[in-house]
Amino acid sequence: MIDIRLVRDDPERVKAALWRRGISSRDVDTLAILDREHRAALARREALRARVKVLSREVGQARKHGDADRAARLADESRRVGEEEKAAAQESDRLAAELQTLLLTTPNLPAREAPDGDGPEDNVELRRWWPGKDGGAPEPVPAEHQRVPHWESGLSLGILDMARGARLAGSMFPLYRAGGAQLVRALTSFALSRHADAYEEIRPPTLVLTDTMTSTGHLPKFADEAYHIERDDLWAIPTAEVPLTSMRRGEILDEADLPVRLTAVTQCFRREAGAAGRDTRGLLRVHEFEKVELFAYATPAQAPDVHMDILSRAEGLVRELGLPYRVLDLCTGDLGTSAARTFDLEVYAPGSDRWLEVSSVSWFGDYQARRANVRFRPAEGGPPVLVHTLNGSALAWPRIWAALVEWGRQPDGSVRLPDVLAPWLGPAPVIRSH
RNA sequence: GGAGGGAUGGCAGAGCGGACGAAUGCGCGGCUCUUGAAAAGCCGUGGGGCUCCGGUCCCCGUGGGUUCGAAUCCCACUCCCUCCGCCA
């Protein structure tokens, strides 16, 4: 959530910031009004409550002094004030709930540096990279044999079986086989080995409580996008960001321990309700996939550096895998609700002939930390301060898998995989039909 | 799934209807003593809302209830521990 005090003290700034995301200033006015009414109701309620406490104490005193009449009179009065307090409390609670509901669906303020724009078409391309670029090589032009989409070569090589996946779980649930399955496992091992120097490896639960989904901003607004297990009221996580953000929920961290850097590989589940019918072929968009995530809790001062560290680690992996990619600076209109600033990594896949998003690296400011109530105690003393949260995929495998299989395709139909995967796939790894 | 026990401040742990936001110990910070350190002694040490900055209210797992008054009594739920059953 955003800080309600900001709405109180500087509504114009909040309006201007949300305007950049296409949010009407009327919503900010509503927030301000609810906040004012709630505080007034709270003050009324507390004054009555204070009166009850004083009276109750006097009842005790009177009784101790054996003045039963006085005690009874005071108890009567206290009961009467208590009734009033109950009504005032109801009003105050009602306003608090209304305010909270609106606050939970209000998106984060975009960072000053985030480019303005209405949608994906306004994202800013920061840079492009391709193998050999630094040595002066031109941007690669795919050969004819690389123009085969991965769902075709994957099927004929016997490494990707979307039809049988659909038999088990419906469309868009991939089933990998043989070399295809091994490739996913190798990619995960490869990525985790690269992050082991600074990021603690976590294996979190992948079914979580409603509170856990709410902390990151995935609920209540995007309930339609998540799988929900009703009987036990648990949610299948759409990303490891969800359990990692809540891992320290409600805690006060020591500044000396920050930044806390975590990495996790998990299955990720997405209903993709809003994108029904789009990118349905092969691995372009799937309901279940494996992803290695980088995550950090940081002080506000550390956040920019950590953001860049996560981005450069994600880029580093794509480079090591030898895939051409570009980095986009997401415009205010395309930013996720909780994010203040996001960089997307897109890999070019020659068979599918498209740029595929394989990582999204975001800085959330204190928006998620406020929801999750994660703070740190400043080293120089003073009250606890909300941490900043950051995360990024490094990386999500289906689209990387697709790009590797398409770029790696050789004239004979086999797929040559990058040598960096040799420790897990054997020297000079190649996938052949079997 | 069944039976029993428990959840209190950074930690341990008392309190079981009236000045309890909470004893005590440990830890942590400051000071005294000391050439310095240790020891000893003294003082301090949770989070949050609102505020006319005087205060005031909330928080003893969570949510309800009883009462003039609840950390303390009642109900429900969650989690932890012990035992039994089941199980990868």
Side-chain angles (χ1 to χ4, degrees):
Chain A
M1 313 181 266
I2 61 168
D3 188 352
I4 187 64
R5 264 173 292 204
L6 208 54
V7 174
R8 200 136 76 207
D9 300 340
D10 196 354
E12 293 313 312
R13 192 180 133 204
V14 176
K15 283 181 190 177
L18 289 179
W19 173 256
R20 299 177 61 208
R21 304 187 71 131
I23 304 269
S24 147
S25 64
R26 291 251 298 283
D27 291 352
V28 179
D29 288 331
T30 308
L31 276 174
I33 291 166
L34 277 173
D35 174 50
R36 208 171 311 128
E37 288 180 350
H38 169 244
R39 275 181 301 150
L42 190 65
R44 252 176 276 134
R45 185 250 161 109
E46 287 182 353
L48 291 166
R49 177 92 186 126
R51 180 80 185 128
V52 168
K53 288 180 79 166
V54 169
L55 286 167
S56 298
R57 208 170 295 156
E58 286 174 1
V59 171
Q61 294 296 324
R63 201 167 281 171
K64 200 181 284 175
H65 294 131
D67 192 343
D69 282 358
R70 184 174 148 75
R73 240 181 7 255
L74 287 166
D76 271 357
E77 163 139 31
S78 178
R79 195 178 301 119
R80 222 196 60 241
V81 178
E83 290 304 317
E84 275 183 70
E85 192 242 327
K86 216 175 207 173
Q90 253 170 32
E91 174 67 0
S92 160
D93 289 349
R94 204 204 85 228
L95 287 163
E98 209 173 318
L99 179 62
Q100 183 72 357
T101 303
L102 185 56
L103 218 43
L104 278 176
T105 51
T106 302
N108 200 359
L109 309 183
R112 213 177 296 281
E113 303 78 22
D116 284 307
D118 297 325
E121 66 282 0
D122 295 322
N123 292 338
V124 175
E125 182 174 323
L126 294 181
R127 57 181 167 272
R128 253 176 219 223
W129 181 92
W130 54 85
K133 184 190 182 192
D134 303 332
E139 193 164 357
V141 178
E144 239 358 82
H145 62 267
Q146 293 173 313
R147 285 293 187 190
V148 177
H150 64 276
W151 54 87
E152 287 176 15
S153 54
L155 184 63
S156 56
L157 287 167
I159 58 174
L160 178 66
D161 192 338
M162 294 303 292
R164 290 204 173 89
R167 179 185 295 166
L168 309 182
S171 67
M172 297 164 73
F173 280 91
L175 186 154
Y176 301 95
R177 302 180 61 180
Q182 287 160 20
L183 174 54
V184 176
R185 180 158 53 88
L187 286 167
T188 291
S189 300
F190 157 70
L192 290 174
S193 75
R194 295 301 190 267
H195 304 320
D197 59 313
Y199 289 73
E200 179 186 346
E201 186 173 335
I202 306 293
R203 277 277 173 168
T206 49
L207 295 181
V208 299
L209 303 171
T210 297
D211 277 352
T212 307
M213 287 283 279
T214 304
S215 292
T216 40
H218 289 92
L219 289 179
K221 219 176 175 182
F222 302 103
D224 285 350
E225 289 297 328
Y227 289 98
H228 183 213
I229 294 163
E230 258 177 63
R231 183 200 285 257
D232 300 292
D233 197 15
L234 290 169
W235 300 81
I237 59 168
T239 158
E241 164 196 346
V242 170
L244 292 180
T245 302
S246 282
M247 190 171 145
R248 309 297 292 269
R249 186 163 70 218
E251 294 188 29
I252 299 174
L253 314 178
D254 280 335
E255 179 168 0
D257 294 335
L258 296 173
V260 171
R261 284 176 285 200
L262 308 171
T263 181
V265 56
T266 65
Q267 293 298 112
C268 301
F269 301 89
R270 300 186 179 181
R271 291 189 67 230
E272 300 291 354
R278 288 178 54 197
D279 311 324
T280 51
R281 310 226 52 188
L283 297 173
L284 297 180
R285 185 180 297 276
V286 290
H287 288 312
E288 175 178 354
F289 61 96
E290 188 167 313
K291 175 163 69 64
V292 173
E293 186 78 357
L294 293 173
F295 175 90
Y297 299 104
T299 66
Q302 293 165 341
D305 284 350
V306 175
H307 196 188
M308 289 309 128
D309 180 57
I310 295 174
L311 177 60
S312 74
R313 279 171 186 268
E315 284 191 67
L317 293 187
V318 182
R319 289 186 193 210
E320 278 199 81
L321 292 169
L323 295 171
Y325 71 90
R326 63 185 185 187
V327 180
L328 302 181
D329 193 349
L330 293 203
C331 76
T332 51
D334 200 29
L335 224 42
T337 328
S338 302
R341 185 106 192 267
T342 298
F343 301 108
D344 272 6
L345 254 62
E346 293 187 343
V347 156
Y348 182 71
S352 311
D353 189 24
R354 356 196 348 176
W355 290 92
L356 303 175
E357 180 189 331
V358 295
S359 176
S360 199
V361 182
S362 300
W363 168 54
F364 300 93
D366 60 16
Y367 185 89
Q368 294 180 326
R370 184 170 293 106
R371 288 169 164 244
N373 192 25
V374 182
R375 295 166 292 171
F376 71 97
R377 200 177 295 284
E380 69 274 19
V385 175
L386 290 167
V387 300
H388 281 196
T389 56
L390 306 107
N391 70 54
S393 350
L395 298 160
W397 298 135
R399 293 168 182 167
I400 291 286
W401 194 101
L404 285 174
V405 166
E406 292 178 9
W407 276 113
R409 191 163 186 277
Q410 306 184 96
D412 68 355
S414 65
V415 172
R416 179 78 168 87
L417 294 170
D419 287 327
V420 290
L421 298 177
W424 301 279
L425 296 176
V430 176
I431 295 178
R432 296 180 200 287
S433 188
H434 69 279

